[in-house]
């Protein structure tokens, strides 16, 4: 458990700095910018899932009323080096999914832009779409990309399998031979979307000197800058990106779609160009997560000790390589000590949108498979599912399947807390089922910078570059207040644009509170060092004779000086006499992002007449390392749980035979609503991450990992048989019940 | 087609505007009047981010034409706080951390106001069904429901 630090700010639950703007409608999101003379851009999207583009004729569109610019793939020659990214932003030779951008126009009104899209003439040679993993991986499959060879090996024929991954340990056959019980399961989970409520939006203004400013909603404006520059063939320094408030992302806003089109058309017209996606565009043409096909096998001795396990994963990449097979493989057995294992992943092209990150990308699907198999194993061994997991739980010193040895981790603590949780010791409600599963995410560090400025009255301004997607400005301000020894109210945290603050990688990988937080702490330590030096100068002492206690410079114990303590405000006010303004900074590439484990359990009840599954209760226990602002940690756990429940119960991309998504709207792609859900009970475990000054682990992604299997296992518990595939939507559940009834 | 002249009341102010006959009230509020607190999440009435009140009744402004605002009273998120500060609903959303990204928050707060105006003491089920037209993808609804419960209690106390 986390050592008992004497913390004053950290662990409290103040109102977030940006809160008032967000409850009054003042906060400006991606689509909220209106500039004078602004044009409206719109995208023409492919009506085919797979086709060769023979020609694109923009002549009539360009001549249409109100239209000032029209572009197609040919207008982006500079993007040759940007490869797949550029081809995803706007198609060149082929369209690879229904909804793939083919051309764009900018006009004085939205209506004019929309009308002009109808005047663009595109000649397609329609090809067969590849819509499933089975089809894509079959011998003689139609190729999504004729020059794609598995792992770049051109000695073999071209393949839709873009890449493979393999982890291996011990002797798998010998391990299974040692087992008293072996379970094998196979699962399919369709493509699903992050479902952020704010569609992608941007506004670009290009100046006559070639410099462009992009305002957009993104999880990483520095990435938008570099990616947009790549696609345009521009210098990074010519593009400034201002991040708006962001209305959800969950990984889906870590790349670009509209930005290069808007900049290009602004350059062509000398006027600002605003582009927003419709909800339908968001579903059809942004990056959901992979549909998957996973096989899990696990063996154990009678006492529950795992002897061997294997996982085979095939993930849809969509139109371009990049399915999250790496994290899928890393996660699938990470919670356990397994002496013999083989984990294989396949990154497979299909004619669907190019997948993007989605909250713990790849882990929910692979762990759904293995956690389902482990649930069956517990049944066969007649063991409590938590006890079986505890018996094999990874702990400090366990070598993860992907290589490193875990430092302090909190899996056992989560399992033990779940075991004694009142929701677990309570009996399963009459007629219902209970399911347990474990979640994991490794978390990442990466690059961050932060600056801390002190105003003459001691007001602290934290400047950093990690877009605040769920309250991170509050956690930055709390860590700054804690480090400096000042009240939270004295600190304001801001997210700067690409020219007003130092580089930060995307808000993703659950890295912000960990890595950017570490930079903020270090920048505050820089301020403290400067304050001690200024105080020493003021008091005519050596720096080593000054201490910083509770927000004030004081002489160290034993130093003979008859002086009054100097507060941050005192030192800032006199800064002109001691060397100039107080400005602290730090930049780092954070190492040691601690993995976050969870244990979730849920009680569900299936209406066997309709196939509808109701969630009666859901309990999430997770290791946060240290909860800086516990309400927002709980919020991550609750939100991730509900996203995972939605994925387990309803969410899926449904395609027709031509590769057209049939449910590209919130009416038919049904995410959970308030009346679907119970309260989500949370318990935060704090096993400090030794690599963060306050022990922080990322918490944002782990919460979505376990719910898929927890819900599956609960439904299995009630029905007495397993429905291996997701979602457990009424039609699928009803069909399974009918089939079982027929046996 | 020529623009239509509309006289309406928005957040207590008499407002006149010109709009195209096809423009939704949401587009008019955001693009013509600069009231961007009302959000577009879907434009098909499925997400509730554009919730406003028309004569006290909760509606999706994306499903209503701008011209239909003639002669009615429109309340948007910008009209919820008074000169004396935040409405208790807004305060409770903040205290309960009932928002993460915040894009759905204006719609939820307007919907909550519409609920508590007509039912000052809703139980949890009533709250959940009333808010079922508003999607939140971040919070899992737990803290939103608690904020609404707390706001209702406070309003009852004040009354």
């Amino acid at each position: 458990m986390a050592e008992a630090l004497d913390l004053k700010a950290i662990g409290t639950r103040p109102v977030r700095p940006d809160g008032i703007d967000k409850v009054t409608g003042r906060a400006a999101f991606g689509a909220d910018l209106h500039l004078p003379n602004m044009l409206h851009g719109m995208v023409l999207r492919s009506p085919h899932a797979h086709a060769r583009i023979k020609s694109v004729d923009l002549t009539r569109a360009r001549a249409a009323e109100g239209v000032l610019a029209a572009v197609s793939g040919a207008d982006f020659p500079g993007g040759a080096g940007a490869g797949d990214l550029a081809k995803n932003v706007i198609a060149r030779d082929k369209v690879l999914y229904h909804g793939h951008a083919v051309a764009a126009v900018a006009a004085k009104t939205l209506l004019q832009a929309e009308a002009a899209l109808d005047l663009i003439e595109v000649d397609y040679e329609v090809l067969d779409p590849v819509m499933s993993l089975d089809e894509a991986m079959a011998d003689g499959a139609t190729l999504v990309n004729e020059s794609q060879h598995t792992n770049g090996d051109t000695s073999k024929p071209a393949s839709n399998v873009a890449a493979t991954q393999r982890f291996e340990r011990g002797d798998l056959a010998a391990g299974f031979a040692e087992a008293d019980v072996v379970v094998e399961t196979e699962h399919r989970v369709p493509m699903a979307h992050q479902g952020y409520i704010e569609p992608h939006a941007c506004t670009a203004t290009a100046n006559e000197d070639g410099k462009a400013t992009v305002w957009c909603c993104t999880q990483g404006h520095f990435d938008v800058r570099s990616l947009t520059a790549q696609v345009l063939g521009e210098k990074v320094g010519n593009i400034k990106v201002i991040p708006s408030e962001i209305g959800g992302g969950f990984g889906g806003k870590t790349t670009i779609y509209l930005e290069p089109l808007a900049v290009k058309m602004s350059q062509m017209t000398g006027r600002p160009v605003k582009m927003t996606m419709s909800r339908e565009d968001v579903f059809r043409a942004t990056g959901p997560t992979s549909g998957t096909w996973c096989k899990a096998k696990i063996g154990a001795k009678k006492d529950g000790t795992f002897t061997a396990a294997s996982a085979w994963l095939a993930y849809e990449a969509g139109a371009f390589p990049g399915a999250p097979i790496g994290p899928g493989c890393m996660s699938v057995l990470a919670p356990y000590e397994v002496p013999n294992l083989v984990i294989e992943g396949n990154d497979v092209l299909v004619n669907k949108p190019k997948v993007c990150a989605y909250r713990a990308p790849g882990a929910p699907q692979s762990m759904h498979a293995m956690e389902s198999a482990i649930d069956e194993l517990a049944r066969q061994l007649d063991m409590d599912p938590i006890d079986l997991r505890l018996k094999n739980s990874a702990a400090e010193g366990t070598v993860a399947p992907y290589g490193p040895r875990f430092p302090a981790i909190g899996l056992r603590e989560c399992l033990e807390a779940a075991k004694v949780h009142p929701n677990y010791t309570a009996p399963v409600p009459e007629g219902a089922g209970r399911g347990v599963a474990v979640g994991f995410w490794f978390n990442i560090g990466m690059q961050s910078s932060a600056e801390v400025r002190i105003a003459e009255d001691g007001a602290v301004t934290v400047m950093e570059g990690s877009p605040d997607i769920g309250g991170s400005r509050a956690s930055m301000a709390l860590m700054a207040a804690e480090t400096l020894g000042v009240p939270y109210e004295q600190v304001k945290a801001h997210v700067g644009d690409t020219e007003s603050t130092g580089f930060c990688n995307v808000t993703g990988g659950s890295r912000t509170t960990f890595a950017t937080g570490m930079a903020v702490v270090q920048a505050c330590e820089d301020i403290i060092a400067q304050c001690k030096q200024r105080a020493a100068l003021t008091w005519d002492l050596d720096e080593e004779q000054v201490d910083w206690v509770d927000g004030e410079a004081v002489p160290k114990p034993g130093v003979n000086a008859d002086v009054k303590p100097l507060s941050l405000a005192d030192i800032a006010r006199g800064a002109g006499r001691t060397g100039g303004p107080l400005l602290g900074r730090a930049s780092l590439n954070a190492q040691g992002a601690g993995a976050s484990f969870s244990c979730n359990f849920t009680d569900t009840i299936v209406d066997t007449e309709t196939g509808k599954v109701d969630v009666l209760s859901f309990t999430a226990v997770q290791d946060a390392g240290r909860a800086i602002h516990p309400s927002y940690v709980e919020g991550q756990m609750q939100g991730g749980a509900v996203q995972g429940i939605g994925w387990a119960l309803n969410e899926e991309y449904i395609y027709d035979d031509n590769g057209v998504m049939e449910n590209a709207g919130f009416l038919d792609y049904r995410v959970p609503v308030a009346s679907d859900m119970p309260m989500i009970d949370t318990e935060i475990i704090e096993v400090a991450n030794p690599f963060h000054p306050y022990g922080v682990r990322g918490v944002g992604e782990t919460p979505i990992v376990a719910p898929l299997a927890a819900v599956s296992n609960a439904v299995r518990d009630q029905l007495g048989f397993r429905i291996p595939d997701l979602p457990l939507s009424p039609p699928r559940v009803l069909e399974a019940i009918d089939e079982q009834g027929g046996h | 087609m020529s623009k239509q002249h509309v006289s309406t009341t928005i957040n207590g102010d008499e407002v006149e505007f010109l709009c195209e006959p096809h423009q939704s009230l949401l587009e008019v509020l955001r693009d013509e009047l600069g009231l961007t607190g009302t959000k577009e999440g879907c434009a098909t009435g499925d997400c509730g981010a554009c919730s406003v009140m028309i004569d006290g009744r909760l509606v999706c402004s994306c499903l209503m034409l701008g011209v239909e605002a003639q002669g009615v009273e429109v309340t948007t998120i910008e009209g919820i706080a008074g000169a004396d500060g935040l409405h208790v609903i807004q305060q409770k959303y903040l205290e309960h951390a009932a928002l993460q990204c915040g894009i759905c928050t204006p719609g939820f707060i307007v919907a909550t106001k519409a609920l508590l105006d007509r039912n000052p003491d809703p139980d949890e089920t009533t709250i959940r069904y009333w808010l079922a037209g508003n999607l939140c993808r971040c919070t899992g609804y737990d803290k939103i429901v608690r904020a609404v419960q707390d706001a209702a209690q406070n309003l009852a106390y004040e009354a």
Side-chain angles (χ1 to χ4, degrees), chain A residues 7 36 63 92 126 128 205 210 256 304 379-380 406 572 685 694:
Chain A
L7 298 172
R92 309 238 161 168
V126 179
D128 286 338
T205 315
I256 55 168
R379 289 172 189 285
Q380 296 201 20
F406 285 125
I685 302 296
Y694 294 111

Side-chain angles (χ1 to χ4, degrees), chain A residues 314-517:
Chain A
Y315 282 20
E316 294 172 350
F320 299 96
I325 56 168
C329 290
M330 287 166 73
S331 303
V332 64
L333 284 166
Y336 305 110
E337 294 266 13
V338 186
N340 306 290
L341 60 81
V342 172
I343 302 167
E344 296 172 295
N346 296 273
D347 178 9
V348 186
L349 300 184
V350 290
N351 289 116
K352 296 183 181 179
K354 174 176 167 44
V355 300
C356 197
Y358 178 19
R359 203 169 197 162
Q365 299 101 314
S366 67
M367 291 188 73
H368 163 253
M370 192 57 73
E371 291 295 303
S372 296
I374 290 171
D375 189 70
E376 290 301 327
L377 191 64
R379 289 172 189 285
Q380 296 201 20
L381 293 166
D382 197 22
M383 278 181 80
D384 175 275
I386 293 180
D387 287 341
L388 176 60
R389 287 169 170 89
L390 264 172
K391 174 116 193 144
N392 297 281
S393 154
E396 185 170 357
T398 300
V399 177
Y402 51 93
R405 194 174 287 279
F406 285 125
I409 53 172
L411 175 57
R412 274 189 194 156
E413 289 78 355
C414 288
L415 289 165
E416 283 160 0
K419 188 80 199 292
V420 299
H421 195 285
N423 291 355
Y424 197 74
T425 53
V428 180
E430 179 70 30
R434 179 170 294 169
V436 174
V438 155
F440 160 82
W441 187 247
F442 44 88
N443 293 326
I444 60 172
M446 297 173 64
Q447 298 178 78
S448 284
S449 8
E451 232 180 71
V452 174
R453 304 156 186 173
I454 313 297
E456 62 268 32
D457 63 353
V460 179
T461 299
V462 173
M463 265 315 244
E464 39 94 3
S466 293
D468 179 353
I469 203 162
S472 61
R473 275 170 289 212
S475 66
M476 298 303 151
L478 282 167
M479 286 185 274
E482 189 71 54
T483 307
L484 292 169
V486 300
Y488 169 80
E489 294 69 25
Q490 201 173 321
V491 185
K492 282 228 175 83
H494 298 271
V495 179
D497 61 54
T498 53
E499 294 188 3
S500 64
T501 192
F503 181 89
C504 283
N505 281 119
V506 290
T507 292
S510 304
R511 62 176 291 279
T512 300
T513 308
F514 170 72
T516 305

